[in-house]
Every structure is written in C-alpha cells, then in structure tokens.
Amino acid sequence: MNALQIEIAKSLFRLAWADGQIEQREVDLIDGLLTKIGMPLAERLAFMDEGLSVPYQGLPNLDAVLPDRESRLFVLEQLIAISFSGGHSHPKEMELLANLSTHWGVSADELAAMRQKERA
Amino acid sequence: MFAGSTIVEALDLHNGTLVFRSKRDFAVGAHTSFKVAVPSKGSKLTSVDVEVASKRSGPGGTIYTAHVLNEAARLDFHVEDASLREAERARTWIRVMSRNLPQYRAIAVDVSATGAQLETDGPVDEGRTVDLRLDLDNYTIDHIACSAEVMWCRPALQSDRFRVGVRFAGNTPEVSRQLKQLSDSLDERAHADLHSLLDKANLMPPAITAPIAVESPASGPPENPLLLPLRAALRGYRRGLPNGSLRLTLMGDDGASQELEFVECHCFFDASPPGRGRIVAMRSSRSSPLLTSMEATHGHHTWKHYQLLDENNQSLVEIVAVSCRAGAL
C-alpha cells in the first residue's frame, strides 16, 4: 500500500464520516474505489476495518501525494461519487468538498461537470 | 565361514535385506549364517545366509544390516521393537524440507524427541548427516530446524517411496527442547479425544493457558451491520508468533493469495465446509454476544469480533482478535 493509496483511503473515510455515520452504500463505494486504485485485498480489508471502527477525524495529507491537477480532479470525482451515493449529499460532506475544491482551485463549472458525470 | 548354530534377533527383512540384532560381533563384509525366528511362519526358526553390510550400536546389542544370500531372501517381515526407540513416537504427518534429501523434501510420519521416520522420494545414505526443517502449521512455532543422522533406509511397502529412520544429533539444547515439546504435543494429540483437541485448536491462543468458555457462533451476530466486501476463497490458516496472531490465507478473484493477520487472536472457529470456503464479506464489531460472553470470563478487553460470511450471510469463520492487518506471505 503506497502513500497515495493511504491518503486517498483516508480522504474517503473522512468524507464518509462527515455526517457522523457511515452507511453500507458508502462502504461498498469505498471498497470499489480502493479496488480501483489498486489497493490489495488484505490491505483494503484491514484499512476499511480500521476506518469503520472509529470515525475518522484527521485531515488527509492529499497535497503531498497528489502533486498534479489531474490526480486531484480524479480523487475529487471519487469523493463526489461517495457523497452523492445515496442520491443527495449531507451538508457536512458538501462543506468538506467545497473546502477541498477551493483549496485546489477547482472551479464551480468543473465541479458541476463532475456531478453531472457522477449522475450519468 | 558360516556359524550355523547362531540364533540372532531378526527385526526386519525386506527386498533381501535383513536387519538384525546380536550381542555377537560380526565384521562388515563377513559372510555368516544363523537362524532367525520368522513371525509369519509362527516364529519358526529359519536358516539364513548373509553378508554383513553395516553395523551400529543400539539398545540391547549391535544392529546389523545384511544381504540375504539364500532362499530366505524371499521372505518379508517386520518386527515392532519398542526397545529400539529411545522415546515413544507419535504418528503424525509433518512436511520436512531439506537440501540433503531427494527432491529436497520428505514427510515425517513418526516423530519422537530423539528421532523420526521420514518418507522420502528416493533413498538416502545411511550414516549421512542431514539438515531438516520441520514445517509446523497450526503449532506454537512455525518450524524447527535441526540436524539428524540417517540410521537406516529401506523401500516403503506398497509405494515407490522410501522410509528413512533418522536420529536427531548435533543440535543445541534449545532445538532439543523444541523437539521434545513437539513430541509431547503430538503424543497428546494422539491420545486426546477429538472434541477436546478441536476446542483447544479453536480457542487457545499461545498466550492463554485456561480454556475460554464461549457460546456457539449461533449466539448472534455482532451489532454492527456493516459488511466489508471480500470476494475471496479461504485457502488456509496458521498461527503466528510472537503475538499469538492468526493468519488467514485468502485467494482473491484475481487468483493472488494474500494473508490477513488477526492480531492477538483469542478465539477462532472455522465452520467452512471443505472446498466451499467462498467468502463474500467480513463483518467486525466491538460489541456482540460472543464478546460479552468472553468478557464475562476474562474482563474487558479491546477485542473485536470478526465474522467471515458466505453469500447466504452465514458465518463461515468466527474470530476474536484485537485487530486485523495485512500479513506478509
């Protein structure tokens, strides 16, 4: 498991726990995304077990492991997918997404495009 | 020159090779003749002409191997002689690896504190010193590396393999202690009833000496309903030291085997039917009837109750451990 995978996984759990609870659809989505970024089965299970046990409050250090804009947009896309997996996003999740988008200089248009892509 | 009136104690005769014991001294290479009691003939005395091939000292006299030169070579028998063993041996099946053995491997089918009987893919020279690694799945240590001297070798009955008797020699006191402990453990297994063995295997981590009273896995699921998707087949498990962990080997959909380690495992129950260990999810919780039952006996711990579930949401494996992490295969 490399640093990128760890930080992405942390950010996924941070978002999933933003509303104070975590649901099965979010678990399934996180699992799918961690699989997608190549996290091996045993590491995925162990990481998810830890992530589900205690609400993750830390701030993932995404800047260090996502140096380029393309990778940041990819992660943001995954976070949006999780946030909207139940059909709507919790205000806390929206707040976290907004802060991250602002921090990375992602425009409202780009966010809208991602949201549209996630809906499709 | 043949000494026709001599009677020796025959121990084994197979493929024209006789193993016998005598207090008389025979020189290697000497031709001699004596009478032996053949068990398959009602212990009738039979005359045997032999050429002595090897000799070594043993309990109750010198042990010889010899080539039979007359019609007695057609006989085939084996006499169990407990006095030849310095310690009681336990029937077992342990994988042995060694660069000194044919195909670099063997199966230990018989182990005592002082020696073992190996089944090998080919013959091994008597008198040779061999370095052995005894792989010990589901035991308190992963393996024992030891040295041994080959005492005898003969073709196995009803197979094209060989049986090799070795005596442990040249080992450190620590290795000797491990071998003794292994022998005791195998002996205990051989004499204990199946239920108590399963109870021990399922419930006993290396660090705990008292049995843990647990309810059956049907006592109820953990309260946390969240399932971690798994999609893998259970390929096996083993104990790990020094932290008393349990290591599950899982094969994912991509065919790759991975190890999931449950740290400080205090309870393990495997209900998966042989060959049907398909797992689709893992559930974990810090609160369950099983944990409540265990904490009633042992007080509060930071244990988690893990369940590996099949597609019908039935629990195949139950584990109580402190945490889980990726292991190294």
Side-chain angles (χ1 to χ4, degrees):
Chain A
M1 189 158 57
N2 57 41
L4 174 63
Q5 292 171 334
I6 291 171
E7 294 306 324
I8 289 177
K10 282 182 182 175
S11 65
L12 296 175
F13 279 110
R14 177 72 179 87
L15 186 76
W17 277 111
D19 59 355
Q21 60 181 353
I22 196 160
E23 298 174 16
Q24 186 64 49
R25 59 182 171 78
E26 292 173 314
V27 173
D28 293 340
L29 204 51
I30 291 173
D31 176 71
L33 294 174
L34 295 182
T35 305
K36 196 171 173 180
I37 62 173
M39 189 180 284
L41 172 67
E43 292 175 355
R44 197 166 71 239
L45 280 170
F47 201 93
M48 290 185 71
D49 179 49
E50 186 186 351
L52 294 181
S53 300
V54 184
Y56 183 70
Q57 299 294 343
L59 291 173
N61 186 17
L62 287 172
D63 287 357
V65 293
L66 299 173
D68 59 276
R69 182 174 170 79
E70 190 182 351
S71 59
R72 290 177 178 183
L73 290 178
F74 168 76
V75 169
L76 202 51
E77 235 178 78
Q78 311 309 316
L79 294 177
I80 288 172
I82 287 183
S83 181
F84 286 91
S85 62
H88 62 279
S89 179
H90 190 275
K92 290 274 187 187
E93 294 174 347
M94 286 297 286
E95 186 184 332
L96 193 148
L97 284 172
N99 288 341
L100 201 55
S101 301
T102 306
H103 178 65
W104 281 344
V106 177
S107 69
D109 285 347
E110 285 174 308
L111 275 177
M114 286 181 203
R115 176 76 183 99
Q116 205 64 32
K117 189 176 171 184
E118 193 278 323
R119 275 181 169 169
Chain B
M1 184 177 188
F2 293 124
S5 60
T6 305
I7 298 176
V8 302
E9 190 179 357
L11 301 171
D12 187 278
L13 202 169
H14 183 69
N15 281 355
T17 299
L18 174 70
V19 179
F20 67 95
R21 174 168 48 197
S22 176
K23 290 184 177 174
R24 265 193 64 179
D25 183 38
F26 297 100
V28 173
H31 284 209
T32 187
S33 180
F34 39 67
K35 293 183 185 298
V36 298
V38 180
S40 59
K41 290 191 171 187
S43 295
K44 182 184 172 186
L45 291 177
T46 300
S47 293
V48 182
D49 300 336
V50 301
E51 177 186 359
V52 178
S54 69
K55 60 192 271 187
R56 64 178 169 86
S57 60
T62 306
I63 308 296
Y64 295 90
T65 59
H67 304 303
V68 179
L69 305 175
N70 64 352
E71 65 277 7
R74 293 198 300 269
L75 298 173
D76 196 310
F77 62 84
H78 176 72
V79 178
E80 284 294 333
D81 189 324
S83 69
L84 282 176
R85 295 176 173 177
E86 296 169 45
E88 186 67 23
R89 288 183 177 168
R91 289 285 162 190
T92 185
W93 195 100
I94 294 174
R95 184 171 60 243
V96 179
M97 307 298 287
S98 171
R99 61 186 175 181
N100 307 123
L101 296 177
Q103 306 297 323
Y104 309 104
R105 65 187 181 188
I107 301 297
V109 296
D110 196 4
V111 175
S112 77
T114 55
Q117 186 179 151
L118 309 179
E119 191 169 290
T120 63
D121 291 323
V124 185
D125 293 337
E126 290 176 9
R128 182 175 185 183
T129 297
V130 290
D131 294 325
L132 306 175
R133 176 193 159 107
L134 280 58
D135 284 344
L136 307 170
D137 288 343
N138 298 321
Y139 188 60
T140 53
I141 51 177
D142 288 337
H143 70 274
I144 297 175
C146 60
S147 292
E149 181 186 359
V150 177
M151 305 307 292
W152 53 264
C153 174
R154 65 168 181 260
L157 295 175
Q158 298 174 335
S159 90
D160 57 355
R161 295 165 66 79
F162 286 78
R163 289 295 177 106
V164 178
V166 299
R167 184 176 65 186
F168 299 129
N171 294 302
T172 63
E174 172 60 15
V175 171
S176 297
R177 187 193 62 77
Q178 291 175 347
L179 290 167
K180 173 73 166 61
Q181 194 175 29
L182 173 65
S183 172
D184 291 346
S185 172
L186 294 172
D187 192 49
E188 182 188 6
R189 289 188 192 191
H191 293 95
D193 69 274
L194 183 62
H195 283 295
S196 64
L197 288 175
L198 285 173
D199 284 347
K200 280 189 176 182
N202 290 338
L203 304 178
M204 291 293 290
I208 287 183
T209 54
I212 302 171
V214 295
E215 295 177 21
S216 75
S219 58
E223 291 175 3
N224 188 345
L226 292 177
L227 302 176
L228 302 182
L230 215 165
R231 299 178 299 277
L234 179 60
R235 282 288 176 257
Y237 45 81
R238 64 191 174 101
R239 282 287 189 185
L241 285 182
N243 62 1
S245 65
L246 177 80
R247 295 174 180 175
L248 297 187
T249 302
L250 303 170
M251 182 180 283
D253 285 342
D254 58 358
S257 287
Q258 297 187 41
E259 204 170 66
L260 190 61
E261 179 179 0
F262 292 86
V263 178
E264 292 184 40
C265 174
H266 283 250
C267 176
F268 172 56
F269 182 85
D270 178 9
S272 59
R276 290 179 55 203
R278 178 72 182 167
I279 298 163
V280 301
M282 181 172 87
R283 178 163 53 199
S284 72
S285 174
R286 292 194 184 280
S287 171
S288 76
L290 178 59
L291 286 177
T292 302
S293 166
M294 290 180 64
E295 289 186 349
T297 307
H298 298 281
H300 181 67
H301 279 269
T302 55
W303 287 327
K304 291 177 79 174
H305 181 187
Y306 294 90
Q307 290 181 304
L308 304 185
L309 308 170
D310 69 9
E311 58 191 1
N312 298 316
N313 213 30
Q314 295 297 307
S315 178
L316 296 180
V317 175
E318 305 262 345
I319 296 167
V320 173
V322 169
S323 62
C324 78
R325 65 188 180 197
L329 272 178

